[in-house]
Short mmCIF file of all heavy atoms in Angstrom, two decimals:
data_model
loop_
_atom_site.label_atom_id
_atom_site.label_comp_id
_atom_site.label_asym_id
_atom_site.label_seq_id
_atom_site.Cartn_x
_atom_site.Cartn_y
_atom_site.Cartn_z
N ARG B 376 -0.55 26.61 -5.74
CA ARG B 376 -0.66 28.05 -5.78
C ARG B 376 -1.70 28.40 -6.83
O ARG B 376 -1.58 28.03 -7.98
CB ARG B 376 0.71 28.68 -6.08
CG ARG B 376 1.71 28.27 -5.00
CD ARG B 376 2.86 29.25 -4.84
NE ARG B 376 2.45 30.63 -5.01
CZ ARG B 376 2.99 31.43 -5.91
NH1 ARG B 376 3.92 30.97 -6.71
NH2 ARG B 376 2.58 32.67 -6.00
N ALA B 378 -2.75 31.03 -8.54
CA ALA B 378 -2.45 31.76 -9.77
C ALA B 378 -1.76 30.84 -10.76
O ALA B 378 -2.08 30.83 -11.94
CB ALA B 378 -1.57 32.96 -9.43
N ASP B 379 -0.81 30.01 -10.25
CA ASP B 379 -0.09 29.08 -11.13
C ASP B 379 -1.00 28.03 -11.72
O ASP B 379 -0.97 27.74 -12.91
CB ASP B 379 1.01 28.36 -10.35
CG ASP B 379 2.10 29.31 -9.92
OD1 ASP B 379 2.06 30.46 -10.40
OD2 ASP B 379 2.95 28.91 -9.13
N ARG B 382 -3.15 29.07 -14.51
CA ARG B 382 -2.41 29.28 -15.76
C ARG B 382 -2.28 28.00 -16.56
O ARG B 382 -2.09 28.04 -17.77
CB ARG B 382 -1.00 29.80 -15.45
CG ARG B 382 -0.96 31.22 -14.99
CD ARG B 382 0.45 31.57 -14.56
NE ARG B 382 1.35 31.61 -15.69
CZ ARG B 382 1.49 32.66 -16.49
NH1 ARG B 382 0.79 33.74 -16.25
NH2 ARG B 382 2.32 32.64 -17.48
N LYS C 19 5.25 43.78 -8.92
CA LYS C 19 5.20 42.31 -8.88
C LYS C 19 6.40 41.77 -9.63
O LYS C 19 6.61 42.08 -10.80
CB LYS C 19 3.90 41.81 -9.52
CG LYS C 19 3.75 40.30 -9.48
CD LYS C 19 3.55 39.77 -8.06
CE LYS C 19 3.60 38.26 -8.03
NZ LYS C 19 3.49 37.74 -6.65
N VAL C 20 7.18 40.99 -8.91
CA VAL C 20 8.37 40.39 -9.50
C VAL C 20 8.23 38.88 -9.43
O VAL C 20 7.91 38.33 -8.38
CB VAL C 20 9.64 40.83 -8.72
CG1 VAL C 20 10.87 40.16 -9.32
CG2 VAL C 20 9.77 42.34 -8.73
N PHE C 21 8.38 38.22 -10.57
CA PHE C 21 8.41 36.75 -10.57
C PHE C 21 9.84 36.29 -10.66
O PHE C 21 10.67 36.89 -11.34
CB PHE C 21 7.65 36.17 -11.78
CG PHE C 21 6.16 36.31 -11.64
CD1 PHE C 21 5.44 37.13 -12.50
CD2 PHE C 21 5.48 35.60 -10.66
CE1 PHE C 21 4.06 37.25 -12.38
CE2 PHE C 21 4.11 35.72 -10.54
CZ PHE C 21 3.39 36.54 -11.39
N ARG C 22 10.13 35.27 -9.94
CA ARG C 22 11.49 34.74 -9.95
C ARG C 22 11.46 33.46 -10.77
O ARG C 22 10.72 32.52 -10.47
CB ARG C 22 11.88 34.44 -8.50
CG ARG C 22 13.21 33.81 -8.32
CD ARG C 22 13.72 34.06 -6.92
NE ARG C 22 14.34 35.37 -6.85
CZ ARG C 22 15.65 35.53 -6.77
NH1 ARG C 22 16.45 34.50 -6.74
NH2 ARG C 22 16.17 36.75 -6.71
N ARG C 23 12.20 33.48 -11.86
CA ARG C 23 12.24 32.26 -12.67
C ARG C 23 13.70 31.79 -12.66
O ARG C 23 14.54 32.37 -13.34
CB ARG C 23 11.77 32.55 -14.08
CG ARG C 23 11.37 31.29 -14.84
CD ARG C 23 10.90 31.63 -16.24
NE ARG C 23 9.51 32.07 -16.31
CZ ARG C 23 9.03 32.82 -17.31
NH1 ARG C 23 9.82 33.23 -18.27
NH2 ARG C 23 7.77 33.17 -17.32
N ILE C 28 11.83 38.52 -13.01
CA ILE C 28 11.06 39.18 -14.07
C ILE C 28 10.14 40.17 -13.39
O ILE C 28 9.27 39.80 -12.62
CB ILE C 28 10.20 38.17 -14.84
CG1 ILE C 28 11.06 36.99 -15.30
CG2 ILE C 28 9.54 38.84 -16.03
CD1 ILE C 28 10.24 35.83 -15.75
N GLN C 29 10.34 41.44 -13.72
CA GLN C 29 9.47 42.46 -13.13
C GLN C 29 8.29 42.68 -14.06
O GLN C 29 8.44 43.13 -15.18
CB GLN C 29 10.24 43.76 -12.93
CG GLN C 29 9.38 44.79 -12.24
CD GLN C 29 10.22 45.79 -11.48
OE1 GLN C 29 11.27 46.17 -11.96
NE2 GLN C 29 9.75 46.20 -10.31
N VAL C 30 7.11 42.29 -13.58
CA VAL C 30 5.93 42.36 -14.43
C VAL C 30 5.18 43.67 -14.19
O VAL C 30 4.78 44.34 -15.13
CB VAL C 30 5.01 41.15 -14.17
CG1 VAL C 30 3.79 41.22 -15.07
CG2 VAL C 30 5.76 39.86 -14.43
N LEU C 31 5.01 44.06 -12.94
CA LEU C 31 4.34 45.32 -12.62
C LEU C 31 5.30 46.18 -11.82
O LEU C 31 6.00 45.68 -10.93
CB LEU C 31 3.08 45.05 -11.78
CG LEU C 31 2.06 44.06 -12.35
CD1 LEU C 31 0.93 43.83 -11.34
CD2 LEU C 31 1.50 44.55 -13.68
N GLY C 48 -3.97 45.33 -23.10
CA GLY C 48 -2.52 45.31 -23.17
C GLY C 48 -2.07 44.09 -23.94
O GLY C 48 -2.82 43.13 -24.07
N PRO C 49 -0.85 44.15 -24.48
CA PRO C 49 -0.37 43.01 -25.25
C PRO C 49 -0.23 41.75 -24.38
O PRO C 49 -0.17 41.85 -23.16
CB PRO C 49 1.00 43.48 -25.79
CG PRO C 49 1.38 44.65 -24.97
CD PRO C 49 0.14 45.25 -24.40
N SER C 50 -0.17 40.64 -25.08
CA SER C 50 -0.04 39.37 -24.37
C SER C 50 1.25 39.36 -23.57
O SER C 50 2.29 39.83 -24.03
CB SER C 50 -0.04 38.23 -25.40
OG SER C 50 0.00 37.01 -24.75
N GLY C 51 1.18 38.92 -22.35
CA GLY C 51 2.37 38.84 -21.50
C GLY C 51 2.68 40.13 -20.80
O GLY C 51 3.70 40.25 -20.12
N SER C 52 1.78 41.14 -20.91
CA SER C 52 2.08 42.43 -20.30
C SER C 52 1.77 42.44 -18.81
O SER C 52 2.15 43.36 -18.10
CB SER C 52 1.28 43.53 -20.99
OG SER C 52 -0.10 43.24 -20.92
N GLY C 53 1.06 41.43 -18.32
CA GLY C 53 0.80 41.36 -16.87
C GLY C 53 -0.63 41.62 -16.50
O GLY C 53 -0.94 41.84 -15.32
N LYS C 54 -1.55 41.53 -17.47
CA LYS C 54 -2.96 41.80 -17.19
C LYS C 54 -3.51 40.79 -16.18
O LYS C 54 -4.14 41.16 -15.17
CB LYS C 54 -3.79 41.72 -18.48
CG LYS C 54 -3.31 42.65 -19.58
CD LYS C 54 -4.17 42.54 -20.82
CE LYS C 54 -4.14 41.19 -21.52
NZ LYS C 54 -2.83 40.85 -22.10
N SER C 55 -3.25 39.52 -16.45
CA SER C 55 -3.76 38.49 -15.54
C SER C 55 -3.12 38.64 -14.17
O SER C 55 -3.77 38.44 -13.13
CB SER C 55 -3.48 37.10 -16.09
OG SER C 55 -4.16 36.92 -17.31
N THR C 56 -1.85 38.98 -14.18
CA THR C 56 -1.15 39.15 -12.90
C THR C 56 -1.83 40.22 -12.06
O THR C 56 -2.08 40.03 -10.87
CB THR C 56 0.32 39.54 -13.18
OG1 THR C 56 0.90 38.53 -14.00
CG2 THR C 56 1.10 39.67 -11.89
N LEU C 57 -2.15 41.33 -12.71
CA LEU C 57 -2.81 42.43 -11.98
C LEU C 57 -4.19 41.98 -11.48
O LEU C 57 -4.55 42.23 -10.33
CB LEU C 57 -2.93 43.64 -12.91
CG LEU C 57 -3.66 44.86 -12.33
CD1 LEU C 57 -3.00 45.32 -11.03
CD2 LEU C 57 -3.70 46.00 -13.35
N LEU C 58 -4.91 41.29 -12.36
CA LEU C 58 -6.25 40.84 -11.97
C LEU C 58 -6.17 39.88 -10.77
O LEU C 58 -6.98 39.94 -9.85
CB LEU C 58 -6.92 40.14 -13.16
CG LEU C 58 -8.45 40.12 -13.12
CD1 LEU C 58 -9.00 41.51 -13.31
CD2 LEU C 58 -8.99 39.18 -14.20
N ASN C 59 -5.15 39.02 -10.79
CA ASN C 59 -4.96 38.08 -9.68
C ASN C 59 -4.69 38.82 -8.37
O ASN C 59 -5.13 38.39 -7.30
CB ASN C 59 -3.81 37.13 -9.97
CG ASN C 59 -4.18 36.09 -11.03
OD1 ASN C 59 -5.36 35.95 -11.37
ND2 ASN C 59 -3.19 35.39 -11.55
N ASP C 65 -3.01 36.27 -5.38
CA ASP C 65 -1.56 36.36 -5.30
C ASP C 65 -1.20 37.61 -4.50
O ASP C 65 -2.05 38.50 -4.32
CB ASP C 65 -1.00 36.47 -6.74
CG ASP C 65 0.40 35.86 -6.82
OD1 ASP C 65 0.99 35.57 -5.76
OD2 ASP C 65 0.88 35.69 -7.97
N ASP C 176 -11.31 37.42 -16.78
CA ASP C 176 -10.04 37.37 -17.51
C ASP C 176 -10.30 36.85 -18.93
O ASP C 176 -10.49 35.66 -19.14
CB ASP C 176 -9.06 36.45 -16.77
CG ASP C 176 -7.63 36.66 -17.25
OD1 ASP C 176 -7.45 37.26 -18.33
OD2 ASP C 176 -6.70 36.21 -16.55
N GLU C 177 -10.31 37.77 -19.87
CA GLU C 177 -10.59 37.46 -21.27
C GLU C 177 -11.82 36.56 -21.42
O GLU C 177 -11.74 35.47 -21.96
CB GLU C 177 -9.37 36.80 -21.92
CG GLU C 177 -8.11 37.61 -21.65
CD GLU C 177 -7.07 37.44 -22.75
OE1 GLU C 177 -7.45 37.02 -23.86
OE2 GLU C 177 -5.90 37.76 -22.49
N VAL C 208 -10.38 41.84 -18.23
CA VAL C 208 -9.17 41.83 -19.04
C VAL C 208 -9.55 41.39 -20.44
O VAL C 208 -10.31 40.46 -20.62
CB VAL C 208 -8.13 40.84 -18.44
CG1 VAL C 208 -7.04 40.54 -19.45
CG2 VAL C 208 -7.55 41.38 -17.15
N HIS C 210 -8.06 41.64 -24.89
CA HIS C 210 -7.19 42.32 -25.86
C HIS C 210 -7.98 42.57 -27.14
O HIS C 210 -7.43 42.79 -28.19
CB HIS C 210 -5.88 41.55 -26.10
CG HIS C 210 -6.09 40.13 -26.54
ND1 HIS C 210 -5.52 39.09 -25.84
CD2 HIS C 210 -6.78 39.58 -27.55
CE1 HIS C 210 -5.87 37.96 -26.43
NE2 HIS C 210 -6.64 38.25 -27.48
N LEU C 224 -2.22 48.41 -20.09
CA LEU C 224 -1.04 48.00 -19.31
C LEU C 224 0.13 47.88 -20.26
O LEU C 224 0.05 47.21 -21.29
CB LEU C 224 -1.32 46.66 -18.63
CG LEU C 224 -0.31 46.18 -17.60
CD1 LEU C 224 -0.11 47.20 -16.50
CD2 LEU C 224 -0.77 44.85 -17.00
N1 ADP D 1 3.89 32.33 -11.63
C1 ADP D 1 4.69 32.92 -12.55
N2 ADP D 1 6.03 32.61 -12.55
C2 ADP D 1 6.83 33.21 -13.42
N3 ADP D 1 6.44 34.05 -14.34
C3 ADP D 1 5.14 34.40 -14.40
C4 ADP D 1 4.19 33.83 -13.50
N4 ADP D 1 2.98 34.32 -13.76
C5 ADP D 1 3.16 35.17 -14.82
N5 ADP D 1 4.44 35.22 -15.18
C6 ADP D 1 5.02 36.03 -16.23
O1 ADP D 1 4.56 37.33 -16.07
C7 ADP D 1 4.28 37.90 -17.30
C8 ADP D 1 2.84 38.36 -17.33
O2 ADP D 1 1.95 37.28 -17.37
P1 ADP D 1 0.38 37.48 -17.45
O3 ADP D 1 -0.03 38.32 -16.34
O4 ADP D 1 -0.21 36.12 -17.52
O5 ADP D 1 0.21 38.19 -18.84
P2 ADP D 1 -1.09 38.50 -19.67
O6 ADP D 1 -2.25 38.02 -18.88
O7 ADP D 1 -1.06 39.97 -19.83
O8 ADP D 1 -0.95 37.81 -20.95
C9 ADP D 1 4.58 36.89 -18.35
O9 ADP D 1 5.85 37.13 -18.86
C10 ADP D 1 4.58 35.62 -17.61
O10 ADP D 1 5.45 34.70 -18.18
#
Side-chain angles (χ1 to χ4, degrees):
Chain B
R376 301 205 36 238
D379 293 350
R382 287 173 69 83
Chain C
K19 182 68 188 177
V20 178
F21 287 114
R22 176 157 278 253
R23 198 180 278 157
I28 309 166
Q29 183 155 37
V30 181
L31 306 175
S50 183
S52 57
K54 303 181 296 294
S55 297
T56 303
L57 178 56
L58 203 69
N59 287 348
D65 209 349
D176 196 344
E177 310 208 19
V208 165
H210 56 236
L224 189 56

